[in-house]
Amino acid sequence: MSCMKKTLVNVLTGFLGVGKTTALRHMIANRPAHEKWAIIVNEFGEIGIDGAVLDDGELPVAEIAGGCLCCVAGPQMTVTVANLVRRERPDRLIIEASGLAHAAGLIDELRAEPLGNALEVGAVMTLVDPRQFANNDYFRQPLYRDQVMIADVLLATKADLCDADTLEAYRQKAAGLFPPKSVVAEIHEGAANPAWLDAAVQPKARYRPAVKSEDQAGWQSQGWTLPPDTEFSGEALTAFFDALPDMVSGLVRAKGVFRVLDTWLWLNWTEGRWAANQVAWRRDNRFELIASQIDVARVEAALQACVLPKQ
């Protein structure tokens, strides 16, 4: 795999539910007009929700579902990246990694042959929730620490949910990281600056401790897809998402794309809160959960109850 000019690749990483897709949507909407971008989205589950959300009908978007990029989906990643770069010849490739991906392993894969022949690894952007970042229990997890230490650009999301002491703790801890970050900032409503993707790449330790497979904490995923002509009741979906925490044990994430009347909505649940946004996706309805235990039949029945009868 080779080409005259290398494609610049940026990795966007961060723990589950931190707001990576929202930030990426904002950067896509504000990208330089002269740059051709392509996107690869990796998700822990089998159904790709984020790829559907990012697909605006113009940007090349590829999905890698069913694992973290550097382990389960590793070989698939190499083929997907190679094919996308060869076909689209983008100026910039952005890879949105799963919230359970070990970013350092992914960077190694991108720099090694054959991908390294066609790619130049640019700044790694890591999003963090300041409440988690200030909590040393999170830093004891190799996966979380890996995502933070590999970052060139460290962005705090959900600042509106934090008190002043938590934000100050984030700033002080971030300022003390070594090697220092090229950019440390706080963003609101996902408003990440696309220019940060061109931040300087900091030198990083080459050797990392081995990561145990049980870091995924026993989570499981379950996904559903329904035909594009299936219509949902907006009121029923609202009640469904409100009821999910009681319906699903150990709920970590819930997200989906649904046809509601004449529009399509992205519904996204994390940390007891959910929101809805319009998207351009029209291919099918899809819904996915990540939780410690899922009663598939119960959830499926509740989801089907939100479907409007055919006219």
Side-chain angles (χ1 to χ4, degrees):
M1 172 183 172
S2 63
C3 56
M4 295 297 291
K5 178 188 173 187
K6 287 191 173 186
T7 294
L8 186 63
V9 57
N10 298 99
V11 174
L12 176 64
T13 187
F15 209 56
L16 288 170
V18 79
K20 296 185 295 295
T21 304
T22 301
L24 184 50
R25 287 184 87 201
H26 187 276
M27 288 192 288
I28 289 170
N30 294 279
R31 68 190 185 274
H34 65 278
E35 273 193 9
K36 181 178 182 181
W37 286 17
I39 309 294
I40 291 178
V41 179
N42 172 234
E43 296 195 61
F44 175 65
E46 298 293 339
I47 304 294
I49 304 296
D50 293 350
V53 171
L54 294 167
D55 191 334
D56 62 0
E58 300 177 8
L59 210 62
V61 178
E63 295 176 337
I64 303 173
C68 67
L69 280 168
C70 56
C71 48
V72 179
Q76 185 186 351
M77 184 201 71
T78 300
V79 172
T80 301
V81 171
N83 288 343
L84 188 62
V85 170
R86 186 182 296 115
R87 183 176 70 246
E88 301 293 341
R89 299 296 174 103
D91 300 306
R92 186 185 305 274
L93 171 65
I94 301 179
I95 300 178
E96 181 193 334
S98 157
L100 298 175
H102 290 278
L106 170 56
I107 297 299
D108 284 350
E109 291 290 328
L110 294 172
R111 286 184 171 148
E113 292 186 359
L115 296 180
N117 297 330
L119 302 175
E120 177 187 347
V121 178
V124 176
M125 183 178 286
T126 299
L127 274 56
V128 296
D129 182 328
R131 296 165 298 176
Q132 297 173 347
F133 188 80
N135 182 344
N136 285 330
D137 287 342
Y138 277 85
F139 266 82
R140 293 188 184 99
Q141 299 180 31
L143 183 150
Y144 189 87
R145 191 170 59 248
D146 180 24
Q147 292 175 347
V148 170
M149 300 313 291
I150 201 72
D152 301 296
V153 178
L154 187 69
L155 303 180
T157 64
K158 306 188 180 183
D160 58 315
L161 302 179
C162 303
D163 57 30
D165 289 344
T166 302
L167 285 175
E168 183 57 28
Y170 158 74
R171 293 169 188 144
Q172 290 189 10
K173 194 168 187 176
L177 293 172
F178 185 84
K181 306 305 180 188
S182 296
V183 175
V184 174
E186 296 151 33
I187 60 173
H188 301 270
E189 298 181 357
N193 186 344
W196 290 335
L197 295 170
D198 292 321
V201 177
Q202 300 292 346
K204 302 174 182 74
R206 175 65 184 80
Y207 298 102
R208 303 177 308 280
V211 177
K212 299 176 182 177
S213 60
E214 59 263 27
D215 280 341
Q216 291 180 354
W219 288 323
Q220 56 182 278
S221 69
Q222 180 68 39
W224 291 263
T225 58
L226 294 93
D229 61 350
T230 303
E231 291 191 62
F232 284 81
S233 159
E235 289 184 2
L237 279 176
T238 297
F240 174 69
F241 268 72
D242 284 341
L244 277 174
D246 295 324
M247 194 185 310
V248 180
S249 299
L251 181 63
V252 178
R253 289 299 307 278
K255 49 189 174 179
V257 179
F258 304 94
R259 179 180 178 181
V260 179
L261 297 178
D262 293 325
T263 191
W264 288 71
L265 298 177
W266 168 38
L267 274 60
N268 187 19
W269 185 102
T270 181
E271 290 190 326
R273 295 155 51 102
W274 66 272
N277 293 277
Q278 289 191 15
V279 291
W281 182 259
R282 297 290 187 274
R283 200 177 306 166
D284 54 24
N285 295 273
R286 47 182 62 192
F287 174 65
E288 185 158 62
L289 297 169
I290 300 176
S292 57
Q293 190 173 351
I294 302 172
D295 184 336
V296 176
R298 182 183 181 191
V299 174
E300 185 166 332
L303 181 65
Q304 288 288 350
C306 300
V307 175
L308 291 172
K310 300 279 188 186
Q311 296 295 323

